[in-house]
Amino acid sequence: MPSQNLILHSFCLVISASLSVSCVTPPAVPALPVTPSMFSPASPEAAMLATFGVVIHIIMAIVFVGVTIAALFLARRFRSAYPAQQGRRIFGNVPLELGWTIAPAAINGLTFVVSRGVMCSVDPEVSASTAQQGPAEYVQATGRQWWWEYRLPEYGVITANELHLPLNQRAAIELRADDVMHNWWVPQLTGKRYMIPGSVNSLWFTPTEIGAFGGVCGEFCGLQHAWMRTLVIVESDDAIRQWAQRQAASAEAPQSPLAQQGESGFAQRTCWSCHAIRGRFQATANAGPDLTHMAGRSIIAAGVLENNAENMARWLRNPQDVKPGNLMPNLQLSDEEVRTLTACMLELR
Ligand code: CUA
């Protein structure tokens, strides 16, 4: 039948369209091996959110099971032997009606009180008194299409996608967006928080476990939303000072001849118009990540690739092949240029 054919045809079109979309997605090396789970928290705030999640799910499960059992029982108990016969008319039942009004109201009230308590503890109002509760690591995070910029003004650090935080010290993150709305979410450390163009949001949490914690963008923000990952590395106070010191320093001049050649290529190809290498090149437009200490990061392109020579070369050869739609164009670099630029990038420790 023609209509059936039409339905079948549209169905096939939808399937093939979705398949071709998934084919465009780059075959990425999983640079962030651990899938972040909010149920393995590494901060008191995340722990509270995880417990809250479990409590709410238990309440929902009890309601779901109760209602299902009641519905099945009633359907069986009161089914009619004569389906065509009109049922008896019922004009109200006060105890029942009170029951199904009070019970949901009580459940909602309880959930509200618990939610409010969790919200107030996880997300205290940022005020002078909050700020005075011990030292805080102050970070400015900006969501861009599709990567994260992190600045630690106290140390003069500007970096991308990878943030280091000290153990047992409150992190105060200021969240901004540069283009569209993003949402910063590192489930093991904190709840989600929007990044909104034109306004500043903030977030507080205290990491209590050493380790690397993966994060994602929690708001659909364009083609590469799913490849907008981040890494938060929690380490000891000493390690963090060392990291910050290294990050704040200007880049050193390239040592190997290959890297030196790469730096000339960086200048010729005007890579500096988007990327700064502090001490060497000042970016004219701050469109791409600061590359001053690129080699010190473990991920490329917000988590699409692991940072190593092979992947760096792959990225430089054609960034659009690795992460379609990102702002870096395919510069049609020659093999030689890719080789020397890769060497240059890997010397930016
Ligand atoms: Cu940024 Cu989704």
Side-chain angles (χ1 to χ4, degrees):
M1 270 155 71
S3 65
Q4 264 180 345
N5 278 345
L6 190 69
I7 291 169
L8 194 68
H9 191 71
S10 334
F11 181 72
C12 290
L13 264 182
V14 169
I15 293 290
S16 57
S18 47
L19 280 178
S20 61
V21 165
S22 53
C23 289
V24 172
T25 317
V29 178
L32 302 174
V34 186
T35 306
S37 163
M38 66 172 282
F39 293 109
S40 43
S43 79
E45 291 80 3
M48 211 177 278
L49 287 169
T51 312
F52 179 61
V54 171
V55 168
I56 291 294
H57 276 89
I58 290 174
I59 295 176
M60 289 196 311
I62 293 171
V63 170
F64 174 74
V65 171
V67 169
T68 308
I69 290 175
L72 289 174
F73 168 76
L74 293 173
R76 205 184 141 73
R77 169 76 180 74
F78 294 104
R79 72 184 162 163
S80 169
Y82 310 99
Q85 201 181 20
Q86 207 178 33
R88 187 162 59 88
R89 299 180 84 182
I90 297 168
F91 296 94
N93 181 322
V94 174
L96 263 183
E97 282 164 15
L98 278 177
W100 70 54
T101 306
I102 291 170
I107 294 169
N108 281 345
L110 175 77
T111 321
F112 172 76
V113 170
V114 178
S115 311
R116 195 183 173 280
V118 173
M119 278 164 78
C120 290
S121 334
V122 168
D123 201 16
E125 197 184 338
V126 181
S127 60
S129 63
T130 315
Q132 278 159 13
Q133 287 167 20
E137 193 78 354
Y138 171 57
V139 179
Q140 294 173 330
T142 306
R144 321 275 300 258
Q145 271 175 322
W146 294 278
W147 56 283
W148 315 90
E149 185 185 83
Y150 295 119
R151 286 173 186 251
L152 287 78
E154 198 186 322
Y155 303 103
V157 170
I158 306 171
T159 186
N161 303 323
E162 226 167 280
L163 175 64
H164 291 236
L165 291 175
L167 180 72
N168 293 330
Q169 197 165 312
R170 268 150 36 89
I173 320 266
E174 228 173 58
L175 304 155
R176 291 179 176 79
D178 203 51
D179 31 50
V180 297
M181 268 168 74
H182 302 277
N183 189 316
W184 197 75
W185 190 28
V186 183
Q188 286 177 270
L189 294 176
T190 171
K192 284 178 170 180
R193 186 58 38 97
Y194 272 109
M195 293 171 140
I196 303 165
S199 84
V200 183
N201 261 346
S202 52
L203 193 62
W204 305 81
F205 59 90
T206 308
T208 47
E209 212 177 280
I210 285 189
F213 304 98
V216 293
C217 177
E219 172 70 15
F220 181 70
C221 57
L223 194 58
Q224 292 295 335
H225 155 69
W227 280 116
M228 193 167 164
R229 307 281 182 91
T230 192
L231 204 55
V232 175
I233 292 148
V234 177
E235 49 195 8
S236 71
D237 240 21
D238 278 352
I240 202 88
R241 307 279 148 209
Q242 277 173 20
W243 173 80
Q245 241 169 33
R246 206 167 49 241
Q247 291 292 313
S250 293
E252 281 162 26
Q255 296 299 307
S256 71
L258 211 59
Q260 284 166 357
Q261 224 178 311
E263 201 191 59
S264 315
F266 192 89
Q268 272 166 23
R269 288 289 195 159
T270 64
C271 306
W272 45 266
S273 64
C274 295
H275 298 282
I277 300 180
R278 276 172 283 133
R280 312 293 297 168
F281 298 93
Q282 198 59 50
T284 47
N286 188 23
D290 182 299
L291 299 176
T292 312
H293 299 287
M294 180 65 216
R297 298 176 201 153
S298 56
I299 52 177
I300 301 176
V304 179
L305 299 170
E306 215 175 303
N307 190 9
N308 56 41
E310 194 189 323
N311 286 336
M312 182 58 78
R314 189 177 151 200
W315 173 262
L316 290 168
R317 216 168 281 124
N318 186 3
Q320 291 304 316
D321 178 48
V322 181
K323 193 168 179 173
N326 87 85
L327 275 185
M328 182 162 162
N330 179 357
L331 294 166
Q332 315 280 348
L333 301 174
S334 68
D335 286 351
E336 180 64 7
E337 281 175 307
V338 168
R339 213 158 61 89
T340 57
L341 265 172
T342 301
C344 175
M345 290 297 113
L346 294 182
E347 277 197 16
L348 294 172
R349 298 227 152 260

